[in-house]
Amino acid sequence: PTATERQKADGFGRFGVRRGYIRIGFENKFMQAVFLPNITSSGIKFQWAYAQVKDPWKGVIALKAGVFDRPFGYENAYSSAARESPERARFIQKLFPGVADVGATLILQLPKTSPLNIFKLEAGVLSGNAINPDFDSRMDFIGRLSVNKTFGNFQIGAGVSAYMGGVLQRDSSVFEVKNGDFALLSKSADNIGKYAERNYFGADIQATLQWEAGKTHIRGEFVTGRQANNQNGNYTYNYSTAAAALEAAGPVYMRNLSGGYALLSQTFGKLPLTFIVKYDIYDPNSDLSGNQVKKAGDISIQTVGAGLFWDIVPQLRLLGYGEFVKTEISENLAGYEKSRRSNAFTLRLQYKF
């Protein structure tokens, strides 16, 4: 058997550096510049490289440009140092690979002296190809409107997000789901060079209560949208060698998708412990289910995660986290006649300085 086949049969364990950030930055009243490389066992990549400038009069308007986290939802831009689960929700990993993108964002927020300071608007344009080289002149729009309010020991926040973009087509055929299966929607040479739809809409909410038992934090997100992929569900825009890869991508398959998560974390008085439980679901094709699914790219995945943080000292944190994964079952797809084994346990030591 191959190494991959042995991993599937026997499980797979490894040591690794999950994240290794070194933040280099400059900040004053009106400007911020950040460069953040990520040094891991897989190599060195840069996470952020951006500059942000505020208007020098009121500080109400800010412009951020460069490579930065996409302003969509809450967890997408939530710090990895603070995030409870080892990775972001699956729908974020799938829809926004690479975490960061290249572009520019306008940020509007009134001063803290204003009662409307609780609102924040972020809107901008991105290349839509993560940090890979761009291959067309089309930009994608992204935006989030959020509100955050504190009432004594209780804090609540919410937001709505939108992503509106396109995927460059290099094939004449476009398929979409009709009557429980993919059917040819259009076949024309005119399709080549057009942009297939890539639109997502999301909503998120967070609530935190500090009380006698400790700190209780609850949050959740939901996303729905429409995505252009190839027949296997791979994202045709996420290529670094654009021309060759897009030529090989083949026909466009349009899919309606949905996803989301719900999370609860709880501390215990003054003990340096935090319990976490998280439910995560991602359905890359919400029009097909069960035995209608015939392609691996249409399999929905549900994950229940639970873990415990131990803040040994303020700079040192130990996390034990288990993930129990359930994949959709289809008798018409080889390898998915039963839920595939892909549970995982992570033991992570995190150091900040």
Side-chain angles (χ1 to χ4, degrees):
T2 66
T4 302
E5 288 170 340
R6 287 196 301 271
Q7 290 171 15
K8 290 180 179 178
D10 304 326
F12 180 50
R14 64 179 176 180
F15 289 101
V17 178
R18 202 175 198 113
R19 290 177 179 84
Y21 295 145
I22 298 178
R23 180 182 175 121
I24 304 168
F26 165 80
E27 186 171 359
N28 61 23
K29 186 176 180 181
F30 300 111
M31 182 177 178
Q32 181 185 38
V34 175
F35 179 72
L36 185 73
N38 186 12
I39 306 168
T40 71
S41 49
S42 301
I44 302 175
K45 298 180 181 179
F46 67 88
Q47 185 86 355
W48 296 339
Y50 69 85
Q52 180 172 311
V53 180
K54 288 184 178 181
D55 76 84
W57 302 281
K58 298 290 186 179
V60 172
I61 304 172
L63 177 66
K64 180 191 287 188
V67 180
F68 50 86
D69 290 337
R70 304 169 180 92
F72 185 100
Y74 183 84
E75 197 170 83
N76 208 344
Y78 193 44
S79 169
S80 297
R83 191 176 61 248
E84 300 82 359
S85 56
E87 296 295 340
R88 291 172 172 85
R90 193 178 299 272
F91 80 84
I92 297 175
Q93 299 179 53
K94 294 295 185 180
L95 301 183
F96 301 108
V99 180
D101 209 325
V102 184
T105 298
L106 193 67
I107 304 169
L108 302 176
Q109 188 172 25
L110 292 174
K112 293 182 179 180
T113 54
S114 170
L116 297 179
N117 172 259
I118 61 175
F119 294 98
K120 182 179 182 180
L121 175 65
E122 301 167 272
V125 290
L126 303 173
S127 71
N129 197 39
I131 60 173
N132 297 317
D134 205 352
F135 50 82
D136 56 46
S137 60
R138 181 185 175 115
M139 299 290 107
D140 293 352
F141 168 83
I142 192 167
R144 180 173 185 252
L145 176 63
S146 60
V147 59
N148 197 296
K149 179 69 173 177
T150 300
F151 303 92
N153 295 330
F154 179 68
Q155 183 178 27
I156 188 167
V160 291
S161 305
Y163 188 104
M164 304 179 72
V167 178
L168 182 63
Q169 297 180 209
R170 291 294 182 93
D171 194 275
S172 60
S173 299
V174 179
F175 291 81
E176 74 171 11
V177 175
K178 289 186 178 180
N179 300 320
D181 202 353
F182 279 105
L184 183 65
L185 175 66
S186 172
K187 184 176 178 63
S188 170
D190 293 338
N191 287 332
I192 300 174
K194 288 185 178 180
Y195 289 86
E197 186 179 359
R198 180 189 174 200
N199 294 335
Y200 318 135
F201 302 95
D204 59 87
I205 188 168
Q206 313 85 42
T208 303
L209 175 64
Q210 187 75 49
W211 56 305
E212 292 80 0
K215 184 170 76 172
T216 302
H217 175 72
I218 299 173
R219 72 170 183 269
E221 294 191 46
F222 175 78
V223 66
T224 185
R226 188 166 169 83
Q227 171 69 52
N229 318 100
N230 64 17
Q231 65 172 336
N232 296 320
N234 296 322
Y235 292 80
T236 55
Y237 60 87
N238 190 29
Y239 290 100
S240 56
T241 55
L246 283 170
E247 291 288 354
V252 170
Y253 283 73
M254 298 302 305
R255 291 172 166 91
N256 295 317
L257 59 90
S258 62
Y261 72 86
L263 177 143
L264 166 69
S265 70
Q266 177 66 55
T267 64
F268 304 96
K270 296 183 179 180
L271 292 176
L273 301 174
T274 304
F275 172 74
I276 314 107
V277 62
K278 185 177 186 179
Y279 171 75
D280 181 333
I281 183 170
Y282 175 62
D283 189 348
N285 192 335
S286 54
D287 293 323
L288 300 178
S289 61
N291 293 335
Q292 292 177 325
V293 175
K294 301 175 183 177
K295 297 176 174 59
D298 298 319
I299 288 288
S300 67
I301 302 175
Q302 300 180 60
T303 305
V304 176
L308 190 68
F309 275 126
W310 176 25
D311 290 304
I312 304 169
V313 293
Q315 297 80 22
L316 191 64
R317 168 178 281 185
L318 182 66
L319 168 67
Y321 192 86
E323 293 177 294
F324 307 92
V325 181
K326 181 180 180 181
T327 60
E328 191 169 15
I329 297 172
S330 173
E331 296 178 359
N332 294 317
L333 181 61
Y336 288 91
E337 296 88 354
K338 60 181 181 179
S339 182
R340 300 188 70 168
R341 179 185 175 190
S342 52
N343 298 340
F345 176 77
T346 299
L347 184 65
R348 184 182 70 185
L349 185 66
Q350 181 179 334
Y351 180 65
K352 297 186 294 181
F353 61 93

